[in-house]
Amino acid sequence: MLLDMAGTHPALVTLVVGDEELLAERAVSGVIAAARAADGGADVHDLIGGKVTPGELTQLTSPSLFGDRSVVVIRSAQDLVKDVIAEVVKYAAHPSDDTVLVLVHPGGVKGKALVDGVKKAGASLVTVSKVTKAGERLDFLKNEIKRAGRGISADAAQALLDAVGNDLRELAAACNQLVFDTEDKTINAAAVARYHKGRAEVTGFNVADSAVEGRLAEALEQLRWALGTGVAPVLLVSALAGGLRGLAKVGGAPRNLRGGQLASHLGMPPWKIDRVKRQLNGWGPEGLSRAIQAVADADEQVKGGGADPAYALEHTVQVIVASRTGR
C-alpha cells in the first residue's frame, strides 16, 4: 500500500503495521508531509522504540504555550517497554489536538499488546505487508515510474525486475535512476539493457559494489556524488545492505546447488549470483557480521537517530572496506 497524504489532514494517531520497510517509510513520510502542509512549522520528533523512556511521550505531546503543532514518530514500536506501551495506548484513546503520533510496527507477536490497544483506541491503520507476488512487484515498479510522470513498456518492466530482483528499495532506486538517466516519455527495454550494462553514472549499487570489493576511495567518491545529486540516504543504506545480504545469501547457499536451482533457491538472477561469488573473495564470517552491523547502525542514523546522515554513510563505507580484509 502506498500513501500520499499531502494536502490532507492526517489522523491524530496512525499505526503503520507490516514488514515492508520501504512502504512503511513512505507511509510515515506521507503523514509528516500532511502535518506540515497543515502547519509548516510543525516539529518532528523521530524516536526508536527501544530508546523511548516512560513519560517521554507525555512530555512531547503536552500542549505548547505557543500552540505549535508537532509530529511524534516511534519506529520499531515492538521494542517499547511495557510501561511505555501502556502510556501510548492510554494516549491514543485521548490524543492531543496539537500532536500527530505515528507508530511503526513490523507485525508479529512482539508488541502485539500495543497494536491491539491502539487499534481499539481508534487509531488510523496503514498495512504495509511484504510484496511477495511477481505481479505485485511489477505493479509497484510501474507505479514508481508513473509517480515520476513517465511510463515503461511491459517488456522493459519485466527486464528491470529480472535484473534488479525482488527488493522494493532496490527496485525503487533503479526506477529513480532510470528516470534520471533517460528522456523518452516511455522507457523501453533497450534503455533498461543499456542501464544494466556497465553504466558510468553513479548509483547506490555502484557505491555498494565498490565498498564490498574493497575500493575505499572510489566508494567514498561515488557516495559523495550520489548524495550531491539527490539520492536519498535511505536508498544508499538499502543498497549497501543489499550488497552485504547478497554476500551472506550466496556464501551460505548449499554447495550442491548449481545454475537454475541455485538461482531459484536464492531468488537472484544467475548473472547477479556470478558477480556476488566474485565479490566474496576476501570476506569471512566475522568481517561480514561487522559490516552488516555497521549498516544496521547507519540505517538507524539516517532514519532519525543521528544528525548527519552523510557522515554516518561515509563511516559505514569505511567499516565495510576494513571488514573485508578481516581486520
Side-chain angles (χ1 to χ4, degrees):
M1 177 177 179
L2 299 179
L3 208 66
D4 183 5
M5 298 181 64
T8 67
H9 289 282
L12 293 177
V13 181
T14 297
L15 175 64
V16 180
V17 179
D19 54 357
E20 188 55 75
E21 291 186 2
L22 175 64
L23 301 186
E25 179 66 31
R26 288 184 175 177
V28 173
S29 297
V31 175
I32 293 174
R36 284 182 164 164
D39 183 350
D43 290 327
V44 178
H45 305 278
D46 209 322
L47 311 175
I48 304 297
K51 296 183 179 180
V52 179
T53 57
E56 188 171 359
L57 177 65
T58 300
Q59 181 181 355
L60 291 174
T61 57
S62 296
S64 166
L65 292 176
F66 304 101
D68 295 332
R69 194 173 183 83
S70 64
V71 181
V72 177
V73 179
I74 301 179
R75 304 178 192 272
S76 300
Q78 76 278 7
D79 294 330
L80 291 170
V81 298
K82 186 176 180 180
D83 288 348
V84 176
I85 288 177
E87 184 181 350
V88 171
V89 172
K90 181 179 178 181
Y91 173 83
H94 303 285
S96 166
D97 291 335
D98 297 325
T99 303
V100 172
L101 174 64
V102 188
L103 304 161
V104 186
H105 189 288
V109 176
K110 188 177 181 181
K112 190 172 184 297
L114 171 76
V115 174
D116 293 343
V118 171
K119 282 183 180 178
K120 187 176 180 180
S124 174
L125 178 65
V126 179
T127 303
V128 289
S129 301
K130 280 286 186 185
V131 176
T132 58
K133 297 179 181 178
E136 293 174 342
R137 289 191 288 270
L138 275 174
D139 289 340
F140 170 82
L141 188 155
K142 292 174 183 176
N143 285 331
E144 285 295 291
I145 301 294
K146 186 178 180 180
R147 278 158 56 96
R150 305 279 287 284
I152 185 168
S153 65
D155 57 343
Q158 186 63 58
L160 187 58
L161 182 62
D162 292 342
V164 176
N166 300 333
D167 186 89
L168 290 199
R169 284 194 186 275
E170 294 184 8
L171 283 172
C175 289
N176 179 66
Q177 202 66 40
L178 260 179
V179 169
F180 181 80
D181 290 342
T182 60
E183 296 181 353
D184 293 338
K185 184 176 181 181
T186 300
I187 298 170
N188 57 31
V192 173
R194 288 196 304 271
Y195 176 75
H196 285 282
K197 290 182 180 178
R199 296 170 57 258
E201 291 84 353
V202 176
T203 68
F205 307 120
N206 298 127
V207 177
D209 285 343
S210 295
V212 300
E213 291 167 13
R215 303 193 304 272
L216 178 59
E218 185 176 330
L220 289 175
E221 181 182 358
Q222 292 173 335
L223 173 64
R224 290 160 188 159
W225 191 95
L227 289 169
T229 55
V231 179
V234 291
L235 295 182
L236 291 166
V237 170
S238 176
L240 291 170
L244 294 171
R245 281 198 305 270
L247 294 178
K249 288 173 67 175
V250 174
R255 301 302 178 191
N256 62 326
L257 296 182
R258 296 287 186 276
Q261 285 185 323
L262 180 59
S264 177
H265 176 78
L266 295 175
M268 297 168 63
W271 67 265
K272 192 169 184 178
I273 294 174
D274 291 340
R275 188 183 70 191
V276 174
K277 283 182 177 179
R278 293 191 295 269
Q279 292 175 335
L280 270 169
N281 292 328
W283 281 98
E286 292 184 2
L288 187 55
S289 178
R290 283 196 300 273
I292 290 173
Q293 182 58 53
V295 172
D297 293 341
D299 186 59
E300 179 179 333
Q301 292 288 308
V302 303
K303 290 179 179 176
D308 191 342
Y311 172 80
L313 282 163
E314 289 194 10
H315 175 70
T316 302
V317 167
Q318 291 169 342
V319 173
I320 290 172
V321 172
S323 298
R324 182 177 181 269
T325 62
R327 292 200 299 271

